[in-house]
């Protein structure tokens, strides 16, 4: 297919837009899939005294992507990092958020790199 020299800039712009649209679509799909996976992993790995905290994980779609949060948000830091007891001493933390975050971020970076490379 021959392109007139006067249309070259238009063709380059069109091709770059198509590539950009494909990359954006793949990144959005990865964000959707990995946020679902993150919620699932957090539900599996969260402490389960009554089970309410573990079941409380969910996600919210925002303009920039997804936010994973817990209905019992007040407990997330206390359970992850530990806390002081009323009568003295400390309750040890149960790291369950940070490991999932690291895993999901790593997988997301790989997915973005793959999308960019085509």
């Amino acid at each position: 297919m021959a392109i007139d020299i006067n249309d070259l800039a238009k063709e380059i712009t069109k091709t770059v837009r198509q590539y950009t649209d494909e990359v954006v679509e793949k990144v959005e799909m990865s964000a959707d899939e990995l946020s679902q996976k993150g919620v699932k992993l957090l539900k599996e790995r969260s402490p389960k005294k009554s089970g309410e905290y573990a079941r409380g994980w969910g996600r919210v779609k925002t303009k920039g992507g997804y936010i994973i949060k817990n209905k019992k948000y007040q407990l997330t830091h206390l359970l992850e990092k530990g806390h002081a007891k009323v009568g003295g001493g400390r309750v040890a933390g149960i790291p369950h958020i940070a490991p999932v975050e690291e895993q999901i971020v790593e997988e997301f970076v790989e997915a973005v790199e793959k999308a960019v490379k085509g």
Side-chain angles (χ1 to χ4, degrees), residues 80 96-109:
E80 180 81 5
H96 58 286
I97 300 170
V100 171
E101 177 188 17
E102 289 172 18
Q103 178 182 343
I104 296 301
V105 167
E106 184 177 308
E107 289 181 28
F108 185 68
V109 168

Side-chain angles (χ1 to χ4, degrees), residues 6 8 12 22 59 61 72-73 79 82 95 108-109:
N6 297 324
L8 183 60
I12 290 172
E22 289 175 16
R59 67 189 183 127
K61 185 170 175 50
K72 296 281 188 178
Y73 63 90
L79 290 171
F108 185 68
V109 168

Side-chain angles (χ1 to χ4, degrees), residues 20-110:
T20 302
D21 291 345
E22 289 175 16
V23 169
V24 167
E25 185 179 329
K26 289 177 183 177
V27 168
E28 287 174 352
M29 281 180 35
S30 295
D32 180 42
E33 293 170 4
L34 289 170
S35 65
Q36 288 178 25
K37 181 178 181 178
V39 169
K40 181 180 178 225
L41 290 173
L42 284 166
K43 285 182 177 187
E44 292 172 0
R45 297 178 184 178
S46 290
K48 294 174 183 69
K49 185 174 183 180
S50 71
E52 187 176 356
Y53 173 76
R55 286 190 307 271
W57 290 105
R59 67 189 183 127
V60 175
K61 185 170 175 50
T62 65
K63 184 178 177 182
Y66 292 89
I67 296 174
I68 297 175
K69 62 182 191 172
N70 194 297
K71 291 176 186 173
K72 296 281 188 178
Y73 63 90
Q74 304 93 329
L75 295 178
T76 56
H77 183 80
L78 297 173
L79 290 171
E80 180 81 5
K81 304 291 185 185
H83 57 89
K85 293 181 182 180
V86 172
R90 288 197 58 80
V91 173
I94 305 168
H96 58 286
I97 300 170
V100 171
E101 177 188 17
E102 289 172 18
Q103 178 182 343
I104 296 301
V105 167
E106 184 177 308
E107 289 181 28
F108 185 68
V109 168
E110 290 172 7

